[in-house]
Amino acid sequence: MTTAAAPVPAVAVPAPRRTSAVRGRVTVNAVMVAMILYFLLPFWWLVVAASKNNDALFSTAALWFHSPGSFFDNLQQLFTYNDGEYLRWMGNTAIYAGVSGVGATAVATLAGYAFAKYRFPGRNLLFSSLLGAIMVPATALAIPTYLLLSKVALTNTMWAVILPQLLNPFGVYLVRVYVQESLPDELLEAARMDGAGELRVLWSVALPTLKPALVTVLLFSMVGTWNNFFLPLVMLNNDKLFPLTVGLQSWYQGALIQSGANALFTLVIAGSLVAIIPLIVAFLLLQRYWRGGLTVGSLK
Amino acid sequence: MSLLRQQGPALAPSSPAPAEPLGVRAVGGKSGRRTSGLSARARHRGMGLLLIAPFTLLFLAFLVAPLAYAFWLSLRTSTLVGGDHFSWFANYKQTFTDPQFLSGVRRVVVFGVVQIPVMLVLALLGALIVDEVTSRLAKVFRMTLFMPYAVPAVIGALMWGFLYSPTFGPVNSLSHALGLGKVDLLSHGLMLTSLGNIVTWQWTGYNMIVLYAALQGLPREVYEAAKLDGAGQIQTALRIKIPMISSALVLTLMFTIIGTLQFFTEPRVLEPTASQVISPDYTPNLYAYNLAFQYSEFNYSAAISFSLGAVVFIGSYFFLFATRKRSGLK
């Protein structure tokens, strides 16, 4: 019945230290809660604002609900405004992110594997230029790329947004490091001894081992394209080709120009909310992959 | 900015070892059985070239060619009167004496000097906390801080733009309620701070995760030893953990600097809200954009883009060189 007799594991911590440990714990928890609140603030505001109609948006407290019933009206408006241009932008974004993401990952995989496992002329030169390329700022490249693509009449097409993003020097670097760390030559040799051709070795032996690295490269290139603003802004004139980022910004500008009581504000807000949900869900679901991927090649 | 750019630590490990013994040699060794040594070698060369070909093509088309073309353009001048002609480095001379360009550079430098340390200290603090604490709260903390990374910079800037708004943002009503009077976060005096807040919100979590990953890679025995020597948690953090992840810190710092010099999206999104404050030359990159697309000054814009790229490239090279001991690069 009574537990008094049960041996209690001795806690060797002297009393003063224990209180300081408790105090430390309270401080740490307080810091965490404060930072969580700060980082959640814009999300909270977005959810609240997306549930308001245009009048309430301007006249009621910004951080609390007022007319939550408007949420579905806002969504309906969002998807139907201007012949459903939001849905079109969403589709464009999915195409840009999907095609560039998959393409960039494929190219980076082949190149990273080749750098790690084959010798070929120009290998060292190409690899050093790749390291340099990682440091070339992407936005400094966007305007020159625009000028070049306009020479060959490719601006204002989907290709102008997709093609430049197929080049992912960092992805190549990551795959190379990962191949070196996790794919011993002996394993490839064994497959060759069994009579597998080079492509077969790559497909059936190397790729399955490389999966975590590939998911990381894929996820980060897709997010990179999904979030990109500067490149499509520079490349595209035609609003039918806009991705969400450029489209939402154009709505926002439109709302400001037409000033105050404009329903576009509610669209910008609802549109922002809908746009960020897929990415947040993807990150939460794929946590274990990207977290593992981030440590790829980090110091042991 | 490239999203992979901040995966700093990964850059650290193998300052690429000179060509390892590759499959070539191994296959050559037992070549007698299947095929002659020479043809195996050739076959490997062929495979290597084949696999690298798509990357090489893209590299030439979307890195080398644009840079070369921009450089060529930047050496020319096009005027209504004089037509298009070769003007050597006149555009560069103009760039580095252009008060608009220089004030933009000064602005991003001032911005970075304040914002970068604030963000990295927060990220480091967060990383040390989630490395030490394993509670459910710490898990929520880690995910919450990382969430803004998944938000496009445009949407981050839009959300904060609304929150800053003097007409319906909460910040103003809050300061009013506290008796602080009207605070205009989009005014001249506060704009850089407001922009810094957006960038800090967006990137702290990402940097935290990178530093956390580096912390997780450290051998745990060292902490035990420190504990036996009587070090508390704070001492362990300051004297052991932070020095041991200095390479990750140096690299996150470098990639953040690269990002700061390219500062564009946030000022561009807030530009229409605060057109009195955010001028077309607010940041160098915004200036290059406006020169090209508002004023059709492509030659000059190319010179500015090229200079900006060169400054970043040379700067990061020297930074890596100067910190090579810390960053683990030899």
Side-chain angles (χ1 to χ4, degrees):
Chain A
M1 285 294 242
T2 171
T3 53
V8 178
V11 182
V13 188
R17 256 187 88 186
R18 197 207 241 148
T19 49
S20 89
V22 168
R23 207 179 305 131
R25 207 195 187 110
V26 169
T27 316
V28 167
N29 283 345
V31 169
M32 281 199 276
V33 169
M35 282 173 81
I36 288 174
L37 290 179
Y38 165 71
F39 281 91
L40 278 183
L41 173 72
F43 294 108
W44 172 255
W45 170 83
L46 189 64
V47 172
V48 168
S51 73
K52 288 180 181 174
N53 62 28
N54 201 45
D55 293 336
L57 188 63
F58 290 95
S59 57
T60 63
L63 293 178
W64 200 248
F65 298 98
H66 182 260
S67 47
S70 304
F71 182 64
F72 294 100
D73 293 344
N74 290 342
L75 279 189
Q76 202 219 345
Q77 258 195 48
L78 173 70
F79 291 122
T80 53
Y81 180 78
N82 231 347
D83 296 330
E85 95 186 317
Y86 184 84
L87 279 174
R88 176 192 283 272
W89 294 339
M90 218 171 181
N92 291 343
T93 308
I95 292 173
Y96 296 145
V99 177
S100 326
V102 172
T105 308
V107 171
T109 308
L110 297 182
Y113 180 71
F115 274 128
K117 295 294 176 197
Y118 292 103
R119 269 171 196 258
F120 48 88
R123 176 174 172 272
N124 290 337
L125 175 71
L126 197 59
F127 193 74
S128 350
S129 357
L130 173 135
L131 288 180
I134 292 174
M135 278 175 245
V136 174
T139 53
L141 269 177
I143 294 174
T145 308
Y146 166 82
L147 298 172
L148 193 72
L149 288 184
S150 72
K151 274 274 169 225
V152 290
L154 269 177
T155 48
N156 235 349
T157 66
M158 286 199 157
W159 294 114
V161 179
I162 293 173
L163 289 175
Q165 307 204 70
L166 292 179
L167 178 68
N168 182 350
F170 198 87
V172 177
Y173 181 83
L174 209 67
V175 174
R176 183 195 134 128
V177 170
Y178 199 84
V179 169
Q180 282 177 337
E181 275 182 7
S182 62
L183 206 61
D185 282 340
E186 292 76 24
L187 191 67
L188 305 183
E189 249 341 280
R192 288 185 185 120
M193 298 278 271
D194 289 344
E198 294 301 313
L199 288 176
R200 180 71 199 273
V201 172
L202 170 62
W203 183 258
S204 320
V205 180
L207 282 191
T209 317
L210 298 180
K211 220 164 104 191
L214 301 194
V215 174
T216 312
V217 176
L218 177 69
L219 190 65
F220 284 89
S221 2
M222 284 181 82
V223 174
T225 313
W226 188 282
N227 291 354
N228 201 342
F229 174 62
F230 194 54
L231 185 73
L233 177 76
V234 165
M235 292 294 174
L236 305 173
N237 250 321
N238 177 356
D239 55 13
K240 293 207 163 26
L241 294 175
F242 282 178
L244 283 173
T245 49
V246 181
L248 283 171
Q249 198 253 354
S250 75
W251 271 1
Y252 183 61
Q253 261 181 322
L256 288 167
I257 289 165
Q258 294 164 42
S259 88
N262 188 303
L264 266 179
F265 279 121
T266 52
L267 293 188
V268 173
I269 290 166
S272 300
L273 180 63
V274 173
I276 63 179
I277 289 172
L279 283 182
I280 292 181
V281 171
F283 265 104
L284 292 176
L285 289 180
L286 293 171
Q287 259 204 76
R288 88 196 152 92
Y289 284 104
W290 60 258
R291 287 237 323 276
L294 276 176
T295 53
V296 168
S298 69
L299 282 172
K300 287 273 143 63
Chain B
M1 56 177 84
S2 154
L3 289 151
L4 278 165
R5 73 176 176 85
Q6 292 220 10
Q7 295 194 339
L11 272 171
S14 59
S15 49
E20 291 298 310
L22 302 164
V24 188
R25 193 201 51 187
V27 167
K30 57 153 188 49
S31 55
R33 239 182 55 193
R34 279 190 306 170
T35 166
S36 85
L38 197 72
S39 83
R41 186 180 296 257
R43 200 163 51 113
H44 271 253
R45 261 170 78 132
M47 269 311 286
L49 287 172
L50 180 74
L51 296 181
I52 209 77
F55 171 74
T56 312
L57 285 178
L58 287 167
F59 190 78
L60 292 174
F62 294 104
L63 194 100
V64 178
L67 286 179
Y69 184 61
F71 187 60
W72 184 79
L73 270 181
S74 69
L75 298 179
R76 305 181 69 84
T77 299
S78 177
T79 54
L80 274 177
V81 188
D84 188 40
H85 65 280
F86 208 73
S87 56
W88 292 104
F89 292 95
N91 286 320
Y92 289 93
K93 221 172 126 190
Q94 192 186 341
T95 300
F96 287 102
T97 51
D98 182 347
Q100 288 180 279
F101 176 74
L102 294 178
S103 77
V105 171
R106 222 167 7 246
R107 194 171 286 119
V108 293
V109 169
V110 169
F111 175 87
V113 164
V114 179
Q115 189 267 332
I116 295 174
V118 169
M119 175 174 74
L120 290 185
V121 166
L122 275 180
L124 183 61
L125 179 70
L128 289 169
I129 290 178
V130 289
D131 185 56
E132 190 67 44
V133 185
T134 48
S135 64
R136 173 169 281 167
L137 181 67
K139 237 179 183 162
V140 174
F141 176 74
R142 197 178 64 202
M143 284 321 295
T144 313
L145 259 67
F146 189 65
M147 256 164 59
Y149 172 72
V151 174
V154 170
I155 294 181
L158 283 175
M159 292 197 287
W160 282 105
F162 278 107
L163 286 167
Y164 293 156
S165 162
T167 43
F168 55 96
V171 176
N172 219 345
S173 36
L174 189 74
S175 74
H176 199 77
L178 291 174
L180 291 172
K182 204 167 147 61
V183 178
D184 187 359
L185 292 166
L186 298 171
S187 62
H188 261 289
L190 288 175
M191 182 54 89
L192 271 189
T193 315
S194 302
L195 288 169
N197 173 57
I198 304 179
V199 175
T200 306
W201 177 81
Q202 190 111 43
W203 289 97
T204 298
Y206 186 81
N207 288 306
M208 178 189 83
I209 296 286
V210 172
L211 297 175
Y212 169 64
L215 282 172
Q216 293 274 294
L218 299 181
R220 299 272 136 182
E221 307 87 63
V222 185
Y223 306 157
E224 282 306 311
K227 209 173 186 178
L228 285 178
D229 287 345
Q233 288 181 335
I234 292 176
Q235 270 191 319
T236 310
L238 288 180
R239 301 216 183 148
I240 297 177
K241 292 186 179 181
I242 295 176
M244 283 184 87
I245 59 161
S246 59
S247 63
L249 272 170
V250 163
L251 286 153
T252 45
L253 175 62
M254 186 183 82
F255 285 109
T256 307
I257 295 174
I258 295 181
T260 303
L261 289 169
Q262 304 179 64
F263 203 26
F264 176 82
T265 303
E266 292 82 3
R268 160 86 188 164
V269 171
L270 292 186
E271 195 182 356
T273 331
S275 51
Q276 299 298 313
V277 180
I278 300 182
S279 47
D281 55 3
Y282 200 72
T283 71
N285 206 16
L286 198 61
Y287 189 39
Y289 172 82
N290 283 318
L291 280 172
F293 296 97
Q294 304 292 321
Y295 309 113
S296 299
E297 291 211 38
F298 291 108
N299 300 92
Y300 190 38
S301 171
I304 288 185
S305 283
F306 204 85
S307 311
L308 193 61
V311 166
V312 171
F313 186 84
I314 295 168
S316 29
Y317 190 85
F318 276 104
F319 185 80
L320 274 185
F321 185 76
T323 59
R324 67 196 182 287
K325 237 174 130 184
R326 303 225 125 200
S327 69
L329 291 170
K330 272 151 221 128

